[in-house]
Amino acid sequence: MADRNPNQTTGGSAAGVHRVRARHEFRGLRTAEHYFTVPLVHVPDESVTAGETITVFAREYSSTDHTADEAAGLPWLLFLQGGPGGRGNRVTSLSGWMKAAAKDFRILMLDQRGTGLSTPVEPQSLGLRGDAAAQAEYLTHFRADSIVADAEYIRHVLGSGPWSVLGQSFGGFCALTYLSFAPQGLREVLITGGLAPLHGPADRVYHATFHRVGLRNAEYFSWYPEDRDAVTRIARHLDRNAEYLASGERLTTERFQMIGSFLGGNTRVDALHYLLEDAFIDTPSGPRLSEAFLEQVRSLVSRAANPLYAVVHESIYGQGEATNWAAWRVLEDHPEFKPDAKEPLLTGEMVYPWYFEQDPALVPLRDVAEQLAAKKDWKPLYSPEQLAANTVPVAAAVYKDDIYVDHDLSLETAAAVRGLQPWVTADFHHDGIGEDGEGIFARLLGMVRAVR
């Protein structure tokens, strides 16, 4: 049922800072749609109306096992989504970690700035900012430090005391930034597959992840040896034949390699085999890639739904130096991933400059991406001193074979955060909370509560 007063204004220092536009109830869950007006650039002790503002959206989820009054009295759990550039989950029932969390919390599912309904960033909207330089400058305000400042601002608007945070993947990076610069806002922190390296160039990240992705390729092809030949056959076919996606662009070998995103989890890795078995179909002109295969690949290799991911991806590692297309440079040391390799490997989530030439959704952002890659004066995202003195209970699931967030770099970070309890496991990959979210959440929450 909808809220009787969908435009109600609550909290904040100025009218309109917070609106709840609608409330709904279905299939055991209760939702409220929150819209917050926040500064584009957060300046301490300055009114939200002093400069340019953006909208940040968050959806509140609670269980109907609680009455509405009971739910309103529950503490908040802020969920920070993976990405960058990914919006908060849209769910139609409580399951997994959310089912476990809703027993004791109200869940606030944030659309991080630039995603979902939070002043979304797309090529057509970025055009409002002006030229490429102006667009790049605007996007410098869409990293973890700004996301955390939004969260802390929202916490105050909601009138919440220190709240609990669950950060998945990039959301875990954000949680470390939160611990660095606003620990007073945190009751406890849970991190899944998201312990970012606190220092060093982005290059070290990609040297580690290329290695992990290579091992994962080998593991996959040991399960499905016939797929080793299938991947090579498709790659060589694309070298010799023009195949086009439904969106009109040619599918290249290097873009085909992006289907390695399947390798990043236990819940979908076997589906890669089903994709590859659809690859070829006989035609009057000989074997061609089937329309069914090409359509599935299109959904995997296009960034039309989340262009922000590609544009700011390497900037999440930028601190005081340019990233300068780190993955592309490091690729030179890993020739087995090059498209012309004898048996090319499938890639992970590396972002290369050719993305902005081959993906129509990213072509308008090519100059912007180049400027961000060259930017040298990135602000720090973490405070090693504050993290070394941390007093907030923190527990983190570290996945031993994670191809996106390296196990060794994660443990390096864990050792640098005072009191952080790592749970190292080989039972899950990067999508662990999608496989056994209820169990992982319960374990991590139990770890932080045990040290209180």
Side-chain angles (χ1 to χ4, degrees):
M1 58 185 174
D3 194 315
R4 292 182 181 178
N5 184 11
N7 294 311
Q8 72 183 67
T9 301
T10 62
S13 58
V17 163
H18 175 213
R19 288 188 294 169
V20 179
R21 291 194 179 175
R23 300 180 188 272
H24 301 281
E25 189 174 307
F26 52 93
R27 280 187 292 283
L29 61 80
R30 187 182 295 112
T31 70
E33 298 168 3
H34 297 264
Y35 292 79
F36 302 91
T37 301
V38 306
L40 173 64
V41 181
H42 288 269
V43 178
D45 303 318
E46 188 170 293
S47 168
V48 68
T49 58
E52 183 177 355
T53 62
I54 60 173
T55 296
V56 171
F57 172 80
R59 183 173 275 109
E60 173 187 347
Y61 292 97
S62 62
S63 171
T64 56
D65 288 345
H66 306 286
T67 67
D69 288 342
E70 289 170 344
L74 293 174
W76 288 103
L77 172 72
L78 173 69
F79 180 70
L80 295 172
Q81 170 76 334
R87 69 179 189 173
N89 299 335
R90 270 64 172 163
V91 304
T92 57
S93 63
L94 292 172
S95 61
W97 73 264
M98 293 184 69
K99 180 179 180 181
K103 295 175 183 177
D104 302 301
F105 295 97
R106 283 184 287 172
I107 300 165
L108 194 66
M109 183 72 66
L110 187 68
D111 278 359
Q112 297 164 14
R113 55 169 53 196
T115 75
L117 299 177
S118 295
T119 309
V121 169
E122 295 187 354
Q124 57 267 49
S125 63
L126 271 180
L128 296 170
R129 308 302 308 184
D131 62 14
Q135 293 176 35
E137 169 59 26
Y138 178 67
L139 290 179
T140 64
H141 305 298
F142 287 75
R143 298 202 307 158
D145 50 351
S146 296
I147 293 167
V148 166
D150 290 343
E152 188 63 356
Y153 186 87
I154 288 168
R155 183 180 70 84
H156 284 291
V157 170
L158 292 175
S160 172
W163 57 12
S164 304
V165 168
L166 171 60
Q168 157 66 11
S169 189
F170 173 68
F173 292 28
C174 295
L176 288 168
T177 302
Y178 214 144
L179 286 164
S180 295
F181 301 118
Q184 71 279 4
L186 299 171
R187 178 188 182 191
E188 59 209 354
V189 172
L190 316 180
I191 296 174
T192 55
L195 288 181
L198 302 180
H199 60 83
D203 300 44
R204 65 198 295 255
V205 172
Y206 292 108
H207 278 298
T209 51
F210 269 118
H211 174 67
R212 298 278 177 195
V213 178
L215 294 176
R216 187 63 162 168
N217 270 265
E219 182 177 40
Y220 175 80
F221 291 131
S222 73
W223 300 333
Y224 296 101
E226 66 272 32
D227 288 356
R228 175 61 277 176
D229 291 338
V231 167
T232 302
R233 182 187 177 197
I234 295 168
R236 299 292 80 88
H237 173 86
L238 290 170
D239 291 343
R240 298 186 299 266
N241 300 276
E243 297 278 10
Y244 294 91
L245 302 176
S247 44
E249 72 271 26
R250 182 171 179 174
L251 177 63
T252 60
T253 300
E254 57 264 37
R255 211 157 167 217
F256 159 68
Q257 289 174 272
M258 293 170 64
I259 69 170
S261 59
F262 274 107
L263 300 175
N266 281 338
T267 61
R268 63 197 299 258
V269 62
D270 297 293
L272 176 57
H273 177 68
Y274 300 141
L275 169 65
L276 293 171
E277 70 183 8
D278 282 342
F280 285 99
I281 190 170
D282 291 329
T283 76
S285 59
R288 305 289 298 190
L289 295 182
S290 73
E291 292 295 336
F293 174 79
L294 290 170
E295 179 57 23
Q296 292 174 79
V297 169
R298 184 199 60 78
S299 68
L300 295 169
V301 305
S302 172
R303 289 295 174 196
N306 59 342
L308 189 61
Y309 173 92
V311 182
V312 303
H313 192 270
E314 286 196 356
S315 77
I316 68 177
Y317 302 111
Q319 297 188 91
E321 58 188 337
T323 56
N324 194 25
W325 298 113
W328 181 242
R329 289 184 291 101
V330 170
L331 175 64
E332 290 301 312
D333 296 328
H334 300 272
E336 65 274 19
F337 286 94
K338 291 189 173 183
D340 59 357
K342 181 178 180 181
E343 293 185 317
L345 298 184
L346 301 175
T347 58
E349 63 174 4
M350 299 78 170
V351 173
Y352 306 124
W354 56 256
Y355 278 28
F356 298 86
E357 300 169 359
Q358 297 189 20
D359 187 341
L362 298 178
V363 169
L365 302 176
R366 180 178 178 178
D367 291 344
V368 177
E370 289 286 355
Q371 296 206 25
L372 291 175
K375 181 178 172 62
K376 298 178 180 179
D377 57 344
W378 291 111
K379 295 178 180 178
L381 292 169
Y382 313 107
S383 168
E385 296 77 19
Q386 178 59 45
L387 293 174
N390 174 61
T391 59
V392 178
V394 187
V398 177
Y399 305 128
K400 187 173 181 295
D401 302 309
D402 196 329
I403 69 170
Y404 297 139
V405 181
D406 180 69
H407 161 269
D408 294 344
L409 295 179
S410 294
L411 290 185
E412 176 187 289
T413 295
V417 181
R418 181 175 179 266
L420 187 151
Q421 302 177 75
W423 167 41
V424 181
T425 176
D427 293 338
F428 304 101
H429 272 256
H430 197 67
D431 61 350
I433 62 169
E435 185 172 4
D436 184 19
E438 194 166 358
I440 291 172
F441 179 85
R443 177 160 184 158
L444 294 178
L445 186 64
M447 290 168 68
V448 295
R449 294 286 170 90
V451 301
R452 286 196 176 279

